[in-house]
Amino acid sequence: MAVLSGTFGQLRVPSLPTRWYENNGYLMVSSNGGLNQMRSGICDMVAIARYMNVTLLVPELDKDSFWKDRSEFKDVFDVDHFITSLENEVRIVKELPPDLKREVDNGTFHSMPPISWSNMSYYLNTILPQIQKYRLLHFQKTDARLANNDLSLDVQKFRCHVSYNALRFAPAIEKLGRKIVDTLRKKGPFLVLHLRYEMDMLAYSGCTEGCNDKEVQDLTRMRYDIPRWKEKEINSTEKREAGLCPLTPEETFLTLRALGISKKMQIYVAAGDIYGGKRRLANIAKTFPNLVKKETLIPRSELLPFQNHSSQMAALDYLVSVESDIFLPTYGGHMAQVVEGHRRFLGFRKTIVPDRRRLVNLIDRYNRRTLKWARFSDLVKKAHVTRTGKPLRRKVVPGFPKEEDYFWSNPQECLQAR
């Protein structure tokens, strides 16, 4: 049995049997996106490498994303544990053989993005022959390259084995994450609020509810200045009413109150700088005085090594989020989904997933005074009875993977025997 070691948990997952195979070649991958997008993609790449019988080079992290984080794999994850904990299932190396390294240095290696949402037959029948032909293949992207469904039970369980046993954070991150959790625990239960209301999120999404004219102009300018963000003309009102915008701090405040969250509860804000600063957090801070962030819990000197490294800072928030009594994300991004899935794995810990479409409708009615508080609160609670991270089946939409439930938000195949 292998001890689950990614987030302080003591749960155990079964190890896979020792596996011997002939090496079919080498796979080099460049992860893309933020921390949790990369995390899930790396786990998928390990599963793909195992089932193609190829050697995986330690993944490269994204250094070209919006955040320009220069962190290497070893800065974020425990690379030695990653390699050794998987050595019976897949060979992972820190360096390529000299001849293949020369190909990389000379830029003569074969590179491609694998097709999104592919099943294992695509990798065995289409990708493997290319690896055998070139000896080395480079994947330019890793996000969402493996299907949510229609994969064997062995594949699905191995994805969990990688995520929840092999891919733990670097020792320094784990140590500080534990300190933050212990500091919170000494004062009682805590709720982690993943308040996705940073400037880049609002600019990218085009969601401007509650922003003044200057802020709207600044957000629009940022969106047009970043070429990789393809959608430029966005109707914020329509998007919000469809439930496609992150909740604003004011909407989040009303949601917390309506759900009956105690005013004494510690609220840990897992986020970067909130757009609009203290002005936008005023209502939450007034009603929930135990509002904290890692920056207010930990001496600046201890956080300094991780600052200016978005992935390392996000890893600290990830660890605290998984360990919280309640996790509430205000937007369904990668962190929200990956943390939700991890919390399910750890025993279906309470995760409140806001029904944003329903919420904004109720909030607008309350603000227009067509709903009294008692009725508003009752409707909010009823809307979330089944949205607390309890056991359920993933929604499957054949042919439309983007409309399905994400595997990493509900890895149900790994929970059935628990």
Side-chain angles (χ1 to χ4, degrees):
M1 301 292 282
V3 177
L4 171 66
S5 53
T7 50
F8 322 125
Q10 294 301 313
L11 296 177
R12 292 174 176 266
V13 293
S15 298
L16 298 182
T18 300
R19 182 169 179 269
W20 303 98
Y21 60 88
E22 294 292 330
N23 180 28
N24 284 323
Y26 290 82
L27 178 63
M28 181 171 67
V29 302
S30 294
S31 305
N32 61 293
L35 172 69
N36 295 286
Q37 193 172 351
M38 291 192 291
R39 180 188 176 94
S40 56
I42 288 168
C43 295
D44 290 346
M45 291 299 114
V46 174
I48 289 164
R50 181 186 194 273
Y51 280 80
M52 290 194 299
N53 287 340
V54 299
T55 296
L56 178 70
L57 181 66
V58 169
E60 178 187 26
L61 301 189
D62 192 341
K63 298 180 178 63
D64 298 319
S65 65
F66 174 84
W67 302 276
K68 304 297 182 185
D69 187 350
R70 309 306 297 176
S71 296
E72 302 289 347
F73 187 96
K74 63 180 176 60
D75 300 319
V76 180
F77 301 107
D78 187 336
V79 63
D80 292 325
H81 177 79
F82 178 62
I83 293 172
T84 57
S85 64
L86 292 166
E87 62 187 0
N88 290 336
E89 290 99 26
V90 60
R91 185 175 178 228
I92 303 173
V93 296
K94 295 180 181 179
E95 291 186 354
L96 292 169
D99 59 327
L100 295 181
K101 189 175 185 301
R102 281 193 295 271
E103 287 187 18
V104 173
D105 293 341
N106 295 332
T108 57
F109 58 96
H110 190 61
S111 181
M112 62 172 288
I115 296 174
S116 299
W117 310 111
S118 295
N119 59 30
M120 206 55 76
S121 63
Y122 163 76
Y123 289 99
L124 293 174
N125 299 327
T126 302
I127 298 300
L128 181 56
Q130 296 192 56
I131 296 178
Q132 292 172 323
K133 176 181 179 180
Y134 296 106
R135 280 192 68 215
L136 169 66
L137 183 64
H138 172 239
F139 282 168
Q140 300 163 1
K141 293 182 180 294
T142 60
D143 65 316
R145 305 295 145 165
L146 195 55
N148 293 312
N149 304 291
D150 296 325
L151 296 172
S152 73
L153 186 60
D154 283 347
V155 170
Q156 300 291 55
K157 286 189 173 183
F158 185 66
R159 294 167 89 177
C160 293
H161 176 64
V162 178
S163 181
Y164 306 134
N165 186 36
L167 193 62
R168 70 184 184 191
F169 292 116
I173 293 174
E174 293 265 339
K175 181 180 179 180
L176 188 57
R178 166 52 70 193
K179 182 174 182 177
I180 296 172
V181 170
D182 288 346
T183 301
L184 289 163
R185 280 266 172 259
K186 288 176 183 176
K187 297 182 179 179
F190 64 97
L191 177 152
V192 167
L193 180 64
H194 183 43
L195 188 56
R196 197 69 173 92
Y197 206 76
E198 301 94 340
M199 186 177 187
D200 62 290
M201 165 53 69
L202 301 182
Y204 172 77
S205 65
C207 297
T208 57
E209 179 73 15
C211 297
N212 59 40
D213 290 344
K214 182 181 183 306
E215 288 171 336
V216 172
Q217 291 173 5
D218 290 343
L219 293 171
T220 303
R221 186 179 303 111
M222 174 184 278
R223 183 165 66 254
Y224 275 87
D225 285 347
I226 298 179
R228 70 166 68 94
W229 293 354
K230 302 303 180 184
E231 191 177 8
K232 303 299 183 183
E233 288 294 326
I234 300 174
N235 186 314
S236 176
T237 301
E238 290 182 359
K239 198 167 184 178
R240 174 178 174 270
E241 290 176 352
L244 300 176
C245 284
L247 295 178
T248 68
E250 294 81 7
E251 292 166 347
T252 303
F253 160 71
L254 289 173
T255 301
L256 291 172
R257 282 191 59 207
L259 288 170
I261 302 300
S262 171
K263 295 179 180 180
K264 296 180 181 179
M265 176 72 79
Q266 295 178 94
I267 308 288
Y268 176 95
V269 179
D273 293 331
I274 302 303
Y275 194 56
K278 292 182 179 180
R279 171 177 65 86
R280 300 302 299 272
L281 289 172
N283 286 339
I284 296 179
K286 182 178 180 180
T287 303
F288 299 95
N290 296 317
L291 188 71
V292 297
K293 298 180 68 174
K294 54 186 172 294
E295 290 84 358
T296 62
L297 293 173
I298 297 297
R300 184 175 180 275
S301 59
E302 294 185 42
L303 274 178
L304 195 60
F306 307 101
Q307 290 182 333
N308 300 320
H309 299 287
S310 61
S311 291
Q312 297 178 50
M313 294 289 275
L316 291 170
D317 282 341
Y318 182 100
L319 291 171
V320 180
S321 297
V322 169
E323 289 294 306
S324 64
D325 295 278
I326 304 173
F327 176 64
L328 194 157
T330 61
Y331 185 68
H334 286 89
M335 178 169 173
Q337 295 181 86
V338 174
V339 168
E340 178 187 358
H342 201 153
R343 289 173 64 84
R344 288 181 188 275
F345 182 84
L346 290 171
F348 301 103
R349 295 177 177 178
K350 189 172 184 178
T351 300
I352 301 174
V353 182
D355 183 341
R356 296 190 303 279
R357 183 173 183 176
R358 179 75 171 134
L359 274 174
V360 298
N361 175 269
L362 292 174
I363 288 169
D364 287 348
R365 289 167 61 191
Y366 172 73
N367 286 334
R368 290 195 299 264
R369 301 181 184 277
T370 60
L371 269 184
K372 292 186 176 180
W373 177 259
R375 179 60 175 160
F376 168 70
S377 178
D378 183 57
L379 290 173
V380 170
K381 288 174 181 173
K382 287 181 178 178
H384 294 85
V385 167
T386 61
R387 303 176 69 88
T388 59
K390 297 298 183 183
L392 52 80
R393 305 295 296 177
R394 284 197 308 274
K395 181 176 70 174
V396 179
V397 186
F400 298 92
K402 289 185 178 181
E403 297 179 18
E404 295 181 328
D405 289 338
Y406 189 37
F407 171 80
W408 289 109
S409 70
N410 182 14
Q412 62 193 32
E413 295 87 346
C414 308
L415 314 176
Q416 292 171 351
R418 301 179 67 79

